[in-house]
């Protein structure tokens, strides 16, 4: 940009940005981060190309009718690095990630497909360990892997192992979980401490030590969701805050529902080791990925009973009310700080830590 004389008005059209954030002629890592860039990729390229009413609903799994049954159907790809980390592996993620996407529609996952993309030269012992972990996770989640595929790419064109899983499950009658059902007054509940998975991955990837080993929260949430639905099928929306963390999930729900969201920052459960790691690394726990947590928007009249049911389940023992949906500032998420101030919790552009799942 040319310099402007002191008495001359700046020429706004002459401004340039050395690194445009949105006008990207090529794919960047942020497009896979679950934030604004990912949303733009879907909205501007994939959704117009594919079309269809089911694709227009922004949920973790599609709800479709087939033969009189209401099915949830989801697919996910896993490119995590490293393949093994405290508390899990790419095999565990491949099962739990897809099972959880189905659970967020209220469905109990029944069957999975599994596609392995292997890089030439990867040790067969590593492939065996991943496959065994995947099979064990499927048995714990109560799902069956019924079909799959294997491809091999040349050395240098992969990162050892990538996995794609797709899953289907039945949605119970009377269950309708989608962000468009959220209304002002809904109570926002998170199922437990946030940020654990992202910090666990970071600790092994970067060789960092925080005085205590932090294990991923990777887990299948189907049983927890069933316990919540047993209280009432009238939950409004569920979301598992993976890429982009809790902040991304809350922003997606606020935007789709046209409501505002207010979070009480001091009520968001952040484990001390996660808070310490984020402070050292300059990260916000609200944006760090999770793999065994969910956030729920629940009608106020059912909130206490749902919270009690969550806390009675092993995967919801740390559940907490963190905020509510409001009429003010539609589509925006704000956090009330411990000092009495308010800050905007914006949609992340990309992701603080790529290759997280």
């Amino acid at each position: 940009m040319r310099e402007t004389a002191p008495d001359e008005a700046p020429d706004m059209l002459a401004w340039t940005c050395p690194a445009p954030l949105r006008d990207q002629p090529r794919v960047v890592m942020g497009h896979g981060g679950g934030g604004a860039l990912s949303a733009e990729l879907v909205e501007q390229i994939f959704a117009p190309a594919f079309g269809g009413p089911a694709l227009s609903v922004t949920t973790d799994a599609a709800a479709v009718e087939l033969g009189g049954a209401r099915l949830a159907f989801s697919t996910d790809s896993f490119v995590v690095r490293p393949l093994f980390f405290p508390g899990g592996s790419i095999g565990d993620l491949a099962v739990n990630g897809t099972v959880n996407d189905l659970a967020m529609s209220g469905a109990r996952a029944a069957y999975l497909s599994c596609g392995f993309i292997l890089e030439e030269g990867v040790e067969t012992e590593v492939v065996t360990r991943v496959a065994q972990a995947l099979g064990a996770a499927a048995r714990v989640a109560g799902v069956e892997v019924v079909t799959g595929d294997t491809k091999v790419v040349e050395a240098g064109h992969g990162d050892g192992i990538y996995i794609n899983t797709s899953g289907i499950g039945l949605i119970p009658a009377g269950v309708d979980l989608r962000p468009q059902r959220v209304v002002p007054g809904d109570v926002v509940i998170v199922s437990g401490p946030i940020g654990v998975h992202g910090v666990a991955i970071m600790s092994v990837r970067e060789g960092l030590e925080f005085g205590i080993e932090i294990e991923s929260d990777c887990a299948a949430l189907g049983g927890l969701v069933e316990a919540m639905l047993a209280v009432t099928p009238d939950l409004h929306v569920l979301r598992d805050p993976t890429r982009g963390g809790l902040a991304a999930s809350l922003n997606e729900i606020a935007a789709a529902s046209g409501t505002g969201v207010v979070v009480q920052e001091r009520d968001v459960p952040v484990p001390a080791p996660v808070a310490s790691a984020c402070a050292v690394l300059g990260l916000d726990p609200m944006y760090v990925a999770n793999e065994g947590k969910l956030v729920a928007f629940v009608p106020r009249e059912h909130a206490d009973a749902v919270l009690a049911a969550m806390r009675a389940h092993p995967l919801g023992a740390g559940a907490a009310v963190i905020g509510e949906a409001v009429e003010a500032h539609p589509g925006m998420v704000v956090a009330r700080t411990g000092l009495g101030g308010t800050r905007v919790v914006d949609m992340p552009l990309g992701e603080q830590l790529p290759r997280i799942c």
Side-chain angles (χ1 to χ4, degrees):
M1 186 183 75
R2 70 177 180 88
E3 294 185 1
T4 302
D7 58 348
E8 180 185 356
D11 181 0
M12 305 296 286
L13 296 179
W15 284 23
T16 61
C17 176
L21 296 178
R22 300 299 186 94
D23 185 16
Q24 292 285 355
R26 298 179 186 274
V27 171
V28 298
M29 290 300 294
H31 283 115
L37 288 177
S38 292
E40 289 180 0
L41 201 65
V42 172
E43 293 167 2
Q44 297 176 14
I45 296 179
F46 297 132
F50 303 156
L55 193 62
S56 66
V57 181
T58 53
T59 52
D60 289 327
V64 295
E65 300 278 347
L66 184 65
R70 193 158 171 255
L71 301 178
F73 179 40
S74 184
T75 188
D76 208 343
S77 298
F78 299 87
V79 297
V80 66
R81 178 172 58 84
L83 298 176
F84 302 93
F85 47 84
S89 71
I90 191 172
D92 301 280
L93 283 175
V95 170
N96 295 336
T98 297
V99 165
N100 291 346
D101 283 348
L102 296 173
M104 297 308 104
S105 292
R108 182 76 174 191
Y111 300 108
L112 297 180
S113 71
C114 178
F116 272 72
I117 300 174
L118 308 176
E119 182 183 14
E120 180 185 22
V122 66
E123 298 88 348
T124 54
E125 184 270 338
V126 171
V127 179
T128 299
R129 286 177 62 195
V130 170
Q132 289 176 342
L134 191 153
R139 287 187 287 275
V140 170
V143 296
E144 186 178 355
V145 179
V146 294
T147 188
D149 182 52
T150 304
K151 294 291 188 298
V152 178
V153 298
E154 298 89 342
H157 290 264
D159 200 4
I161 300 174
Y162 299 151
I163 301 177
N164 172 273
T165 48
S166 297
I168 58 173
L170 284 171
I171 301 176
V175 173
D176 183 17
L177 299 175
R178 50 192 173 88
Q180 291 78 9
R181 296 195 64 222
V182 171
V183 296
D186 280 358
V187 175
V188 182
I189 304 175
V190 68
S191 65
I194 66 169
V196 181
H197 177 71
V199 172
I201 294 292
M202 188 181 305
S203 66
V204 293
R205 184 184 296 177
E206 307 299 337
L208 302 175
E209 295 184 3
F210 303 112
I212 184 174
E213 183 177 73
I214 301 174
E215 292 192 353
S216 169
D217 58 349
C218 183
L221 298 172
L224 175 60
V225 172
E226 285 189 348
M228 297 167 67
L229 291 173
V231 174
T232 174
D234 189 32
L235 306 179
H236 285 171
V237 68
L238 303 178
R239 190 63 59 92
D240 58 334
T242 53
R243 299 175 303 164
L246 181 61
S249 292
L250 293 177
N251 272 279
E252 289 170 354
I253 293 169
S257 64
T259 64
V261 177
V262 175
V263 173
Q264 302 296 330
E265 197 168 55
R266 65 174 58 187
D267 294 334
V268 178
V270 180
V274 171
S276 298
C278 288
V280 169
L281 297 167
L283 303 177
D284 185 337
M286 292 275 284
Y287 293 87
V288 178
N290 312 271
E291 285 293 345
K293 300 296 185 297
L294 63 81
V295 59
F297 282 64
V298 181
R300 185 169 296 278
E301 63 268 25
H302 301 305
D304 289 343
V306 170
L307 181 63
M310 295 174 72
R311 288 176 172 172
H313 191 279
L315 295 179
V321 172
I322 63 170
E324 63 178 336
V326 297
E327 290 185 10
H329 51 78
M332 181 183 294
V333 180
V334 302
R336 289 180 179 155
T337 69
L339 298 176
T342 300
R343 69 181 179 96
V344 175
V345 181
D346 207 356
M347 184 70 159
L349 186 66
E351 188 172 31
Q352 296 182 99
L353 184 66
R355 304 282 301 279
I356 202 74
C357 62

